[in-house]
Amino acid sequence: MANKTSFWLVKQEPSQYSWDNFVMDGETYWDGVRNYQARNNLQAMKKGDLVFFYHSVTGKDIKGIAKVTREAYPDPTSDDPRWVVVDLKPLKALTHPVTLEEVKIHKDLQEIALVRQSRLSVMPVTKKESRIILQLSKTSI
DNA sequence: GCCAACGTTGGC
DNA sequence: GCCAACGTTGGC
């Protein structure tokens, strides 16, 4: 993995758009973000960055990793120019999905935005946190 | 189903 | 510009 690669995490309710839907689509634009903080995170994504895909509400676990294939551009589902999307492509399903519970009990994941800011839907993940999540998931990239 | 944590809206 | 009221998200 390139050292400049940043990690992110996006949340989605699987009843609306699950990891399996995403894999079947092959590639998608990440639309519907209507929150400035989440939007700013989308805009900060660079092509090649890696994005954890989290199932909220049902499942509450990190299912897989996606790759940013196109940087932020205006949200085609909105007339409002403030909102943007990025293109994401599935990279790999996690061998072992990492549950919110596992994240919460890990002493080095106490500060992760997923726990601290439960309502944010697009958030940065530090390199250290990413390494731990990958370890917990028994997945290498 | 409840509620905490936020974000947004609108009256002043 | 403040703040109360309201709406939404998401964990429990």
Side-chain angles (χ1 to χ4, degrees), chain A residues 6 15 28-29 37-38 44 50 53 60-61 71 88 99 108 110 112 138:
Chain A
S6 298
S15 60
T28 192
Y29 52 81
Q37 206 180 342
L50 299 179
F53 192 115
K60 283 177 281 183
D61 51 3
E71 293 175 16
L88 296 179
T99 64
D108 291 324
Q110 298 303 304
I112 194 169
K138 302 175 171 60

Side-chain angles (χ1 to χ4, degrees), chain A residues 54-106:
Chain A
Y54 174 79
H55 276 178
S56 62
V57 185
T58 313
K60 283 177 281 183
D61 51 3
I62 304 168
K63 287 286 186 209
I65 306 165
K67 186 181 236 181
V68 177
T69 52
R70 184 177 170 191
E71 293 175 16
Y73 60 99
D75 188 335
T77 68
S78 171
D79 294 331
D80 192 328
R82 291 176 300 175
W83 307 121
V84 301
V85 298
V86 295
D87 284 358
L88 296 179
K89 192 176 177 174
L91 181 69
K92 204 168 199 182
L94 297 185
T95 308
H96 165 75
V98 178
T99 64
L100 181 61
E101 195 183 2
E102 288 174 276
V103 169
K104 281 189 158 173
I105 61 179
H106 196 288

Side-chain angles (χ1 to χ4, degrees), chain A residues 123-136:
Chain A
M123 65 192 79
V125 180
T126 67
K127 290 217 187 317
K128 187 181 172 192
E129 289 161 353
S130 310
R131 252 197 319 274
I132 295 169
I133 292 169
L134 288 171
Q135 270 171 22
L136 291 174

Side-chain angles (χ1 to χ4, degrees), chain A residues 19-48:
Chain A
W19 170 258
D20 288 342
N21 295 144
F22 181 39
V23 169
M24 270 187 284
D25 283 349
E27 187 164 20
T28 192
Y29 52 81
W30 202 257
D31 66 326
V33 171
R34 298 290 182 270
N35 166 284
Y36 288 111
Q37 206 180 342
R39 190 278 313 267
N40 291 344
N41 291 329
L42 277 183
Q43 273 177 333
M45 289 184 187
K46 296 293 176 198
K47 198 171 170 179

Side-chain angles (χ1 to χ4, degrees), chain A residues 106-125:
Chain A
H106 196 288
K107 67 175 170 51
D108 291 324
L109 291 177
Q110 298 303 304
E111 295 302 311
I112 194 169
L114 182 66
V115 175
R116 272 199 1 254
Q117 250 182 302
S118 67
R119 290 188 51 203
L120 188 60
S121 62
V122 182
M123 65 192 79
V125 180

